Amino acid sequence: TSLDVSSNLLNRISHLKPLECLSALTSLRINGNPLVLLPSSRTKAIAQVPQLQTLDAIIILDTERPPPPPAEERDEEGEEAAEGDAPAAEDSATAGGEGGGEDAAEEGGEASAEEVS
């Protein structure tokens, strides 16, 4: 699917963010918009709408795409929330006691209010 938003006075790369959810969108034209004058606008547009195959009628090369996160980070992000929350609570408890307040807030909320004060 193609979309042509040329010459629409788009001046920020973030204006393209809503297009990310259009999974069938593979071709986009943004030429004639002020945002194309921004440094690295092509690279940033590709990162903003990663499903694109062409941008301004030019095929997007793999080298133009941002690198995927390292395998270690992908594995950690893919873990269940219950497993991922436990280390975070321990980390925040040792880094200033904030973790204890969150636990207390779940149990009654009083300790959290005292810590915030």
Side-chain angles (χ1 to χ4, degrees), residues 58-74:
I58 300 170
I59 293 174
I60 297 170
L61 304 174
D62 288 340
T63 56
E64 295 180 279
R65 297 185 186 281
E72 295 169 357
E73 290 180 25
R74 284 187 300 229

